[in-house]
Amino acid sequence: MEHQPQAATVGGTHEGQQHPIRLYLMVWGLLFVLSAASYLVDYMEFQGGLRWSLILIFMMLKAGLIVAVFMHMAWERLALGYAILLPPFIILVFVVIMVFESDYTLLTRLTEFATQ
């Protein structure tokens, strides 16, 4: 049994793997739907935490689709995915910790300054 290369070379040029155009069109359509939903959040005049959580959810979904399909991360090795996705997640965890710490600091200052 002979080993065949994954990518064929034609005329001295390297030809990579081709993904079906249907995949890109479906992702483009999904991005359009997610963008429309994001605009609907403003059109429906949602306020407060619901508004911002919906906007952030739609934003993260769109960014994830773009990174996975158009930047070809869905077909990369798991180690590369961890190298790119893990640091932003860790930063997000630290931001959440800082938010809780800031609430505690504010409450402590309000309590301390109210007694003086």
Side-chain angles (χ1 to χ4, degrees), residues 37-102:
S38 182
Y39 286 117
L40 278 175
V41 169
D42 284 335
Y43 183 77
M44 301 292 280
E45 297 181 2
F46 291 125
Q47 297 298 324
L50 176 64
R51 171 192 175 130
W52 291 111
S53 62
L54 286 174
I55 288 174
L56 288 174
I57 287 170
F58 292 139
M59 177 190 69
M60 294 299 281
L61 286 173
K62 290 189 296 185
L65 273 173
I66 290 169
V67 168
V69 176
F70 294 116
M71 296 177 71
H72 307 286
M73 284 299 294
W75 299 281
E76 293 293 335
R77 296 183 61 179
L78 188 59
L80 185 59
Y82 283 149
I84 291 178
L85 297 177
L86 194 60
F89 177 74
I90 292 172
I91 290 172
L92 182 64
V93 168
F94 286 139
V95 167
V96 169
I97 290 171
M98 288 187 292
V99 166
F100 287 126
E101 179 68 22
S102 68

Side-chain angles (χ1 to χ4, degrees), residues 24-46:
Y24 293 109
L25 291 175
M26 288 185 63
V27 170
W28 181 83
L30 190 54
L31 287 171
F32 181 80
V33 169
L34 289 172
S35 294
S38 182
Y39 286 117
L40 278 175
V41 169
D42 284 335
Y43 183 77
M44 301 292 280
E45 297 181 2
F46 291 125

